[in-house]
Amino acid sequence: MSLTRRTLLTAGSVGLVIAQAQAATLQARNAPSPTTSDNRLRIAMPAFASDPFFPADGAGDKGIDMELARGIAAELGVEPVFDRSAVTFDGMVKRLTSGQADIAIGKLSRTLQRGRSILYSKPYAILHQGLLANRLSLARIAQGKPPEQIIRDFSGDLGVIEGSSFATYAATTFPHAQIHRFAGWNTVVDAIRNGTIDLAYRDDFEIKKLLVDDPSMTVVARSITLTDKVDTIAVGVRPDNPHLAAFVDLYLDLAKGQQVLNTDEIIARYRLGSKA
């Protein structure tokens, strides 16, 4: 091979490397930012309270989800802007799909139906699904059998919160039940008290929290934990920003040490906060 040809090949190789480096630099400059709003992270969170995850709109900034939201924004170097307009959990999802929010943090359960329209982070809390049963109704239905034997074939009246993950789960978990949808948890609990419904379906944390707040509830109701059914809580991310979804996962791994909260840990935090 002649010196001239070798020189030309070497020069060509160097030129190719430089061109590739320039292309990579240009691609990095043009890559989408983890956030879609100028120096802001728009965070959808429900208007109502769910202690110890988040307070009601305008009632402060304490809670597991509030801390998580502010931590993510701080690591991104942007201002957290809270959108508290959603009146249901599904309402948060709609804020993402409409492009009106960047992330949704508010005890948001992962479901396959929601996963068709938004991105999810990895879970930061894993709860079990549970039931709150009217004692008289349960005794009538069970007829002396252990509740665990009759629950899955339950065909009575089951209460859920409209717009919650459990309104979605109910049809497959209890296909024979008569599903009653309520505007909020308090109205579901009232229906258990007066016997309008036989069972209420929610995560075991909220049911245990209810019994912490009102021990007299044990006179008329009992809790049942579905140990083979979990409710995974995660951050929702708008569907057109996978970079932001990946960043949230990275934040949960590095800043939170891959910590995944369980019911007992959350109940302990709730008890501590209620004594403050």
Side-chain angles (χ1 to χ4, degrees), residues 60-254:
D61 59 359
K62 294 183 179 179
I64 295 167
D65 286 341
M66 279 287 186
E67 293 169 5
L68 179 57
R70 292 187 180 281
I72 292 170
E75 290 299 331
L76 285 169
V78 297
E79 177 189 1
V81 178
F82 290 90
D83 177 349
R84 304 299 302 270
S85 61
V87 296
T88 66
F89 293 102
D90 280 347
M92 284 193 292
V93 174
K94 291 179 180 177
R95 302 301 287 177
L96 295 177
T97 56
S98 66
Q100 295 171 297
D102 301 314
I103 62 175
I105 304 181
K107 198 169 178 278
L108 183 65
S109 299
R110 298 193 306 172
T111 70
L112 293 175
Q113 182 175 341
R114 290 172 180 167
R116 287 155 49 183
S117 59
I118 66 171
L119 301 174
Y120 274 116
S121 73
K122 58 183 60 180
Y124 61 89
I126 298 181
L127 312 174
H128 282 290
Q129 296 182 19
L131 296 165
L132 182 68
N134 178 285
R135 286 188 178 273
L136 291 178
S137 296
L138 187 62
R140 170 177 51 80
I141 295 167
Q143 296 182 344
K145 297 178 182 178
E148 293 75 14
Q149 290 184 12
I150 56 91
I151 286 301
R152 292 307 166 83
D153 292 324
F154 173 69
S155 59
D157 296 297
L158 179 74
V160 296
I161 301 173
E162 179 64 58
S164 71
S165 59
F166 291 90
T168 302
Y169 297 148
T172 53
T173 307
F174 301 102
H176 308 298
Q178 309 302 310
I179 310 299
H180 301 264
R181 299 168 184 267
F182 295 84
W185 181 231
N186 289 340
T187 53
V188 176
V189 173
D190 288 342
I192 285 288
R193 283 185 183 277
N194 60 36
T196 303
I197 58 175
D198 305 311
L199 302 177
Y201 188 29
R202 206 175 180 190
D203 64 74
D204 66 336
F205 163 70
E206 291 293 344
I207 293 170
K208 290 178 179 179
K209 184 174 80 169
L210 171 67
L211 301 180
V212 168
D213 290 341
D214 185 5
S216 69
M217 191 71 189
T218 58
V219 176
V220 297
R222 61 159 290 186
S223 66
I224 300 170
T225 298
L226 305 179
T227 55
D228 62 332
K229 294 283 186 179
V230 295
D231 182 30
T232 55
I233 309 301
V235 178
V237 181
R238 57 185 293 173
D240 61 348
N241 201 334
H243 188 181
L244 179 56
F247 183 88
V248 173
D249 274 348
L250 188 64
Y251 177 84
L252 294 173
D253 278 346
L254 301 184

Side-chain angles (χ1 to χ4, degrees), residues 27-54:
Q27 184 177 13
R29 288 175 180 172
N30 293 332
S33 167
T35 55
T36 57
S37 307
D38 292 339
N39 296 316
R40 298 189 306 155
L41 183 67
R42 298 171 300 170
I43 304 159
M45 186 176 284
F48 53 85
S50 182
D51 294 332
F53 287 91
F54 52 89

